[in-house]
Amino acid sequence: MISGKRVCVVMPAYNAAKTLRRTVDELDRTVVDDVILVDDASPDETVAVARELGLHHVVHAQNRGYGGNQKTCYAEALARGAEIVVMLHPDYQYSPALVPAMAAMVASGHFDCVLGSRILGVGALRGGMPLWKYVANRFLTFFENVLLGYKLAEYHTGYRAFSRELLEALPLEENSDDFVFDNQFLAQALWFGFDIGEISCPARYFEEASSINFRRSVKYGFGVLGTAIEFRLAKMGLRRSARLSDTGRKLAVVPAPAASRGGAA
């Protein structure tokens, strides 16, 4: 716990068998109360490794996509009593050592969402981010800062911490099940008046680390542009969106029995 708040790390997993153990081994379990892995129908041994590590895990019978995986992650974390939720990819691309710092920023009450930014400092290119991805990241971030009216170093990191209040408030079920879910999530957080902070995070790019290919990156990029334009048009009163509405569909959370918290499933 941090400041009396229960901390849960969620891991949206797909083909993470080779890197999951390293990721979990570097978690500070004096701070992290619960670890949840959601496997998105991986064909490798991800689930077997999760069982060996004693992780609470959920297995999708069919691949639901990166956004669909996150929806399950957050609903499961809330059901198990999490008050601070940190999303950490199990592919070892982001440093697990920063979980306590990110959770503490949320626990402080200053931020509802904290991003582990690869762009702050020199973490991205030094860690091996391809130059074309770096350039695209900078362009999209500039575009979003203008249209969303906020200032972030990066909107595209997969390392994030959230308060329970944020996860309960946002209509996350209105978002895509694909990669653009991440971006829609941040647009929603800003729309509903939540505060987002950042911390510098080194990144590692290597063979086993997950990374979307060029074709899917282009699709993601257009999705990001569409999300920012949707946000601006809604602010101007020119468009209505269920994603940016109080009546939008929120996560369905069924409280887990107290005895199941912290175990494997």
Side-chain angles (χ1 to χ4, degrees):
M1 289 189 174
I2 290 182
S3 300
K5 295 182 180 293
R6 181 177 172 82
V7 178
C8 175
V9 170
V10 296
M11 296 182 175
Y14 184 74
N15 285 349
K18 293 181 179 179
T19 54
L20 176 58
R21 190 179 302 275
R22 276 186 292 174
T23 305
V24 172
D25 283 348
E26 291 188 17
L27 286 174
D28 185 349
R29 297 309 292 267
T30 66
V31 170
V32 177
D33 301 282
D34 196 10
V35 181
I36 299 171
L37 180 136
V38 177
D39 180 76
D40 209 18
S42 298
D44 71 352
E45 299 300 313
T46 296
V47 175
V49 176
R51 289 197 182 103
E52 290 176 14
L53 295 173
L55 303 182
H56 178 82
H57 54 279
V58 177
V59 182
H60 286 167
Q62 297 179 333
N63 188 283
R64 287 189 52 194
Y66 177 59
N69 191 315
Q70 283 190 66
K71 292 173 186 177
T72 301
C73 282
Y74 302 138
E76 192 73 9
L78 294 176
R80 289 168 62 83
E83 294 168 285
I84 297 173
V85 179
V86 183
M87 180 180 71
L88 172 64
H89 291 181
D91 63 359
Y92 204 60
Q93 185 178 127
Y94 300 98
S95 172
L98 290 177
V99 166
M102 295 173 67
M105 289 176 69
V106 175
S108 72
H110 293 303
F111 303 104
D112 306 289
C113 170
V114 173
L115 308 179
S117 173
R118 300 163 295 180
I119 302 301
L120 283 173
V122 293
L125 293 176
R126 179 177 291 179
M129 178 185 281
L131 182 60
W132 68 268
K133 284 195 173 186
Y134 180 84
V135 172
N137 186 307
R138 304 312 304 130
F139 167 76
L140 290 173
T141 293
F142 172 80
F143 187 85
E144 289 172 284
N145 278 334
V146 172
L147 291 191
L148 300 183
Y150 210 74
K151 185 177 181 181
L152 292 174
E154 179 185 12
Y155 287 81
H156 314 292
T157 174
Y159 200 4
R160 303 171 174 217
F162 313 105
S163 67
R164 182 182 186 92
E165 293 74 20
L166 173 66
L167 293 173
E168 290 179 329
L170 300 186
L172 296 178
E173 286 290 357
E174 298 292 348
N175 292 347
S176 169
D177 284 344
D178 209 342
F179 286 99
V180 76
F181 172 92
D182 271 353
N183 211 251
Q184 293 169 342
F185 188 120
L186 294 182
Q188 288 175 322
L190 295 176
W191 179 268
F192 288 102
F194 290 98
D195 293 316
I196 302 175
E198 294 179 279
I199 186 172
S200 181
C201 175
R204 312 178 183 98
Y205 284 79
F206 55 98
E207 185 177 352
E208 289 84 8
S210 64
S211 184
I212 60 176
N213 59 32
F214 180 78
R215 180 182 63 82
R216 297 203 72 183
S217 293
V218 171
K219 179 182 177 182
Y220 168 78
F222 279 111
V224 168
L225 297 176
T227 299
I229 292 170
E230 175 187 58
F231 182 99
R232 181 46 50 192
L233 291 177
K235 278 289 187 183
M236 297 169 64
L238 299 177
R239 178 173 178 176
R240 298 188 59 155
S241 167
R243 193 166 18 251
L244 304 176
S245 169
D246 289 324
T247 60
R249 293 172 298 144
K250 297 179 173 62
L251 295 175
V253 178
V254 179
S260 73
R261 295 177 185 175

